[in-house]
Structure formats: structure tokens, C-alpha cells
Amino acid sequence: MTRQIDKFLTVLEEYGIGMCMLVSLVILVVNVILRYLFHASLSWPAELSTYLMILLVYLGSSAGIKHDSELKVDFIVDIFPRTGKFFAVWLNIVRLAACVIFFWAGISVVQMEYAFSNVSPTLRLPLWILFGVLPFAAVLFAVRTLLSFREIFADRPTGKQEG
């Protein structure tokens, strides 16, 4: 079951990142062409590409958890290699707590934006949908963290490449 979850998340992350990059590239290039060749530009591509880049960062962060490549200071583990498992567990506990806080805060923002019916400036998209990325990302991070726990306790590598 965990393999299917991991495979699903990997496909979601990889295709999501690729689509975000591709759509951003296409709409920005089209806007540049319109601006310089026809002296008319669109206002919405910059806003859409900003939202896509935000989604891309969250999907990339989830993939970073899978590959154990998030930013961290691991000099203690380098000095005392036997503490690696302890610190990996501790990191995952802290990350899981952060996911809960992130999810709760994201839900609060989504509820507030839904209640006020705010929309984005140019695209006129409901902001509660755009801010829905926050709890979505928290769930992705939490699932990746739980999968990381499983890897730690199964004494398998978590995806970190040596060398």
C-alpha cells in the first residue's frame, strides 16, 4: 500500500512540477512576444505564473522530503554517525508537528477567504481556492513524512544519495 501511495505522490509531484513550469513558460513567452512584436501585453500571465510558481515550490518541497534533500544542518550526524537515526526521527517528529500547524493555519485562511469572497486581482479567481494550496501542501508533507518514518524504521535508505 505504501508503494502505491509513494508512486502516486511521485507522479503528482513530477507531473505537477513539469506542468507548472511548462504552462508558466508558455504564457510568459507568449506575453513577451505580444509585448515586443505587437506592443500589447496581457495582464493575467504574470499573476497566473506567480500562482503556478507557488504550487511548484510546494510540490518541489514534497519531493525534497522524499529524497531527504531539504535544508538541514547535519554536522552532528557527520561527527557522530550513530546518532543519525535519532536525529532523523526527531526531524520527522518536528516536521509532522509543523505539518499539523501548517494545515490548521491553511484551513483557517481558506475559511476566512471563503467567508469574505475575496478574488484575485486580475484572474478574478476565488482566493479560497488559491489558498487551498496551503492545507494541500501540508497533507503532502505529512504523508511524505510518514513514509519517511517507515523508511527509517525499516532500516532502508530514505533516498539520500551518497557522494
Side-chain angles (χ1 to χ4, degrees):
M1 179 69 173
T2 57
R3 284 187 194 267
Q4 288 91 0
I5 294 171
D6 180 55
K7 190 173 185 176
F8 173 77
L9 290 180
T10 301
V11 168
L12 177 72
E13 292 159 357
E14 290 176 358
Y15 282 102
I17 289 168
M19 289 305 297
C20 287
M21 290 179 69
L22 180 66
V23 170
S24 291
L25 177 69
V26 168
I27 63 173
L28 291 175
V29 166
V30 166
N31 201 33
V32 167
I33 290 170
L34 287 173
R35 184 180 309 128
Y36 289 106
L37 293 182
F38 302 105
H39 302 291
S41 66
L42 303 170
S43 58
W44 58 268
E47 185 177 324
L48 180 59
S49 66
T50 299
Y51 298 142
L52 290 172
M53 287 298 152
I54 291 169
L55 178 60
L56 184 144
V57 166
Y58 287 129
L59 291 172
S61 297
S62 178
I65 293 171
K66 174 187 179 177
H67 297 288
D68 196 28
S69 62
E70 68 270 353
L71 182 64
K72 59 187 167 196
V73 179
D74 56 359
F75 72 92
I76 295 174
V77 176
D78 291 342
I79 295 170
F80 305 106
R82 292 185 180 180
T83 63
K85 193 170 187 175
F86 168 78
F87 282 113
V89 169
W90 179 248
L91 171 71
N92 282 321
I93 290 169
V94 170
R95 188 187 306 128
L96 206 52
C99 289
V100 170
I101 294 168
F102 195 47
F103 181 80
W104 178 78
I107 291 294
S108 297
V109 171
V110 168
Q111 289 173 338
M112 183 177 60
E113 293 299 333
Y114 184 78
F116 290 125
S117 301
N118 291 331
V119 294
S120 65
T122 307
L123 292 172
R124 310 300 296 164
L125 293 171
L127 285 181
W128 69 268
I129 293 173
L130 299 173
F131 283 108
V133 171
L134 298 172
F136 172 73
V139 169
L140 280 179
F141 298 165
V143 172
R144 281 289 183 203
T145 301
L146 293 173
L147 291 172
S148 179
F149 265 125
R150 182 172 166 80
E151 294 294 317
I152 290 167
F153 291 116
D155 287 328
R156 290 189 298 246
T158 57
K160 185 174 183 178
Q161 300 296 322
E162 295 296 327

